[in-house]
Amino acid sequence: MKFVKKDEWFRFRDGQGNLIERKTEVRVDPLTGETSRIIFDPGIKFTPPDFTRAAEETGGARCPFCPENLYKMTPVFQEEIAEQGRIIQGEAVVFPNLFPYSKHNGVVVLSKKHYLRLEEMTVPLIKDGLAAAQAYVQRIVETDKDVRYASINWNYLPYSGGSILHPHLQVAASDSPTNYQALINEKIKGFNSEKDYFTDLYEKEKSLGERWIGEIGNAAWMHAYSPKGQNDFLAIFPEKYSLDDIVEQDWIHFAQGLQAVFAALTDQGFASFNMMLTVPTEASAKQSIHVRLIPRFTIGMMDTSDINYFQALHQEPLTYKIPEEVAEKAREHFSNL
């Protein structure tokens, strides 16, 4: 496992003839070989958005996920998935996505409240949502033997691409992998390990300490070496190879770590994020369950998108944030748990 990087320097002069140097650090993902770039930070400050007014305008009778509408406006699964039509765990309710992205696509409403800030995301709420998503994936795998790829995903707030403010997850399962799933599976097959790549990565990052954040129980957190966003938090369940290996206490420990990550995001002015938990469904893949989480935001008075041609078309992530510095800040919150 190698952590490779290359520095590139752009030299030019300002209007008074003074030399200016700007560094771009190109980092290589130790598994996939993909690169990402740490670019010059001009001192950009991020301000977390407040969606209180939007919540007032879109909640209650106007929201299909709010309690008064949830069981009237949302569809139901066929009986082989859920005898009562939906899967319920605590406040979490799972039902079919009316506009699916995949062969199987469920929505998990997390809370009765229409709008929650990051600091309002409780451990029971997160735990129940993930446990409900887990139950849905397990039912899919039992009833559809062709499914090979699954994921639990979270678009939080509109900057993330979420079209409904009400807190919810999405679960996708299919015979066909996403590009990320296909690439990871391909590279893992060529990785020489007695355990598996992500368990090796967990052990390596823990020993180095540079990007290590902390662990609770079977859920370990670190920052990705070659990030896919301004932060790229990586959680690994070492040697947990399927959702059948995950018990309720694991979700509790994961949720506790996630609260520390949320606090680190808030410190930096971020409030919105995308999260992906990849779920191996084939034992032959021998891939520990892992999670990636990146913040989403806009820049400047024009609310400029955080994604430009470099990310959208060149598929090359950019970040102003240095992974080791982000991890150091996140460790402070993790140590308070």
Side-chain angles (χ1 to χ4, degrees), residues 107-125:
V107 174
V108 186
V109 168
L110 295 174
S111 167
K112 293 178 180 178
K113 289 191 67 174
H114 183 63
Y115 174 43
L116 292 172
R117 293 176 176 83
L118 288 178
E119 61 269 21
E120 296 177 300
M121 297 285 183
T122 66
V123 168
L125 181 148

Side-chain angles (χ1 to χ4, degrees), residues 124-143:
L125 181 148
I126 297 168
K127 180 264 294 181
D128 285 342
L130 291 169
Q134 175 185 23
Y136 175 46
V137 173
Q138 288 171 325
R139 291 300 299 145
I140 291 170
V141 173
E142 289 173 6
T143 57

Side-chain angles (χ1 to χ4, degrees), residues 51-70 73 109 111-116 158 163-167:
F51 288 97
T52 302
R53 184 171 180 179
E56 293 172 352
E57 295 173 349
T58 61
R62 293 170 291 274
C63 175
F65 296 172
C66 279
E68 53 263 56
N69 293 325
L70 182 60
M73 297 181 65
V109 168
S111 167
K112 293 178 180 178
K113 289 191 67 174
H114 183 63
Y115 174 43
L116 292 172
S163 58
I164 295 180
L165 199 62
H166 202 114

Side-chain angles (χ1 to χ4, degrees), residues 78-249:
Q78 298 188 75
E79 289 187 3
E80 64 266 24
I81 296 295
E83 289 185 6
Q84 303 303 317
R86 300 177 181 90
I87 296 170
I88 300 172
Q89 173 80 29
E91 285 191 39
V93 181
V94 193
F95 51 86
N97 188 353
L98 279 171
F99 309 102
Y101 299 170
S102 192
K103 184 179 183 181
H104 299 275
N105 194 183
V107 174
V108 186
V109 168
L110 295 174
S111 167
K112 293 178 180 178
K113 289 191 67 174
H114 183 63
Y115 174 43
L116 292 172
R117 293 176 176 83
L118 288 178
E119 61 269 21
E120 296 177 300
M121 297 285 183
T122 66
V123 168
L125 181 148
I126 297 168
K127 180 264 294 181
D128 285 342
L130 291 169
Q134 175 185 23
Y136 175 46
V137 173
Q138 288 171 325
R139 291 300 299 145
I140 291 170
V141 173
E142 289 173 6
T143 57
D144 187 345
K145 301 304 181 183
D146 292 328
V147 165
R148 295 289 180 271
Y149 307 93
S151 60
I152 300 171
N153 310 277
W154 195 347
N155 296 327
Y156 179 65
L157 299 183
Y159 291 174
S160 71
S163 58
I164 295 180
L165 199 62
H166 202 114
H168 63 283
L169 308 175
Q170 287 205 31
V171 184
S174 176
D175 313 354
S176 305
T178 64
N179 286 326
Y180 180 84
Q181 290 168 325
L183 181 61
I184 293 295
N185 285 357
E186 175 190 348
K187 296 298 183 179
I188 279 177
K189 291 176 182 177
F191 187 80
N192 185 21
S193 170
E194 292 184 2
K195 297 176 182 176
D196 68 278
Y197 170 77
F198 285 103
T199 297
D200 283 3
L201 180 63
Y202 149 75
E203 293 175 348
K204 184 71 171 180
E205 290 287 27
K206 186 176 181 179
S207 67
L208 290 174
E210 296 173 349
R211 291 164 296 277
W212 177 255
I213 297 173
E215 65 183 325
I216 305 176
N218 293 312
W221 290 87
M222 62 213 73
H223 194 289
Y225 176 75
S226 179
K228 293 184 177 294
Q230 295 300 322
N231 295 181
D232 188 348
F233 292 106
L234 174 63
I236 296 174
F237 294 85
E239 298 185 78
K240 298 278 188 175
Y241 298 124
S242 80
L243 282 181
D244 292 337
D245 297 330
I246 300 292
V247 299
E248 183 180 48
Q249 193 64 42

